[in-house]
Amino acid sequence: MIEVDKYVLPDVIPQHELQAWRSKIDKVELENCPPEVKRFIKVLAAKLGDFGRIGQYIEYIPGDDLLLSGMKQVDGKKINPWMHYPTPVPKMVACDHETAMLRIFKRKGKQGLIDWCKVKVDKTELAATLDLLHVEVFKIYRPEFLEMLAQLEAQKKLESDLKL
């Protein structure tokens, strides 16, 4: 597999053009959306970035171009300048995650937003952020946590009954 230095797209794409594109998108207004949901959407959208990967294709790069880029080997073998080497190239598109999440919440409610977020943050460091959506935003607790809370409440009630 060929390893290529990765560029951060905001360094390559002019930011003023990206902002102009975003300003043309119709904004979603939610009357009944809790403020903590809006805050969560804003924070997660900022962490997801400006671009999303929608697939990849294979590009055949000539060996002499790879040598000019500073590569010496492909899959442990010396590069032949006359051969072409398959290189995976991602298909990237600009995304407005905030608007997308607001639309999902408007159409499908909290479960739709949770499902969308699970797909976006799967296998990333943002997966822990999704727990905030459950607990802090929608007040959904894990069953084992609820059971532990119930036991604590029962113990407190028992202690208060014994003191009387």
Side-chain angles (χ1 to χ4, degrees):
M1 178 63 84
I2 296 176
E3 298 271 338
V4 180
D5 291 336
K6 295 182 180 178
Y7 289 99
V8 179
L9 284 177
D11 296 342
V12 180
I13 305 295
Q15 289 298 302
H16 63 280
E17 290 183 19
L18 186 61
Q19 293 306 322
W21 170 76
R22 274 208 175 106
S23 67
K24 293 177 185 174
I25 296 174
D26 292 337
K27 299 300 174 199
V28 177
E29 293 299 323
L30 299 176
E31 312 81 43
N32 300 328
C33 184
E36 59 268 12
V37 174
K38 288 181 181 179
R39 280 195 309 270
F40 176 82
I41 287 173
K42 208 176 249 332
V43 168
L44 187 60
K47 290 191 177 287
L48 286 174
D50 297 327
F51 298 92
R53 182 178 176 165
I54 60 168
Q56 76 177 21
Y57 60 94
I58 300 295
E59 184 76 32
Y60 287 89
I61 310 278
D64 56 347
D65 285 350
L66 293 175
L67 289 169
L68 286 172
S69 73
M71 292 183 63
K72 304 274 188 246
Q73 296 181 352
V74 172
D75 293 332
K77 297 177 186 170
K78 187 177 174 187
I79 293 177
N80 181 344
W82 302 104
M83 287 184 61
H84 286 74
Y85 295 90
T87 307
V89 178
K91 294 179 186 177
M92 304 294 283
V93 294
C95 299
D96 186 357
H97 296 294
E98 185 175 352
T99 302
M101 284 188 277
L102 288 170
R103 285 188 177 143
I104 293 281
F105 186 77
K106 184 175 185 175
R107 279 190 246 142
K108 298 186 178 182
K110 68 181 181 182
Q111 191 57 50
L113 181 60
I114 290 169
D115 293 342
W116 186 90
C117 290
K118 278 182 185 176
V119 170
K120 287 293 180 181
V121 303
D122 189 35
K123 299 177 184 160
T124 69
E125 66 277 358
L126 292 174
T129 307
L130 188 56
D131 287 338
L132 290 175
L133 179 65
H134 293 303
V135 178
E136 298 296 327
V137 177
F138 292 130
K139 309 295 186 226
I140 300 171
Y141 300 103
R142 293 182 179 167
E144 58 269 17
F145 179 71
L146 290 174
E147 184 179 321
M148 192 184 315
L149 280 178
Q151 289 174 357
L152 287 172
E153 289 298 321
Q155 185 177 0
K156 285 180 185 176
K157 185 175 186 291
L158 182 63
E159 288 175 359
S160 66
D161 289 345
L162 290 175
K163 289 180 182 178
L164 289 177

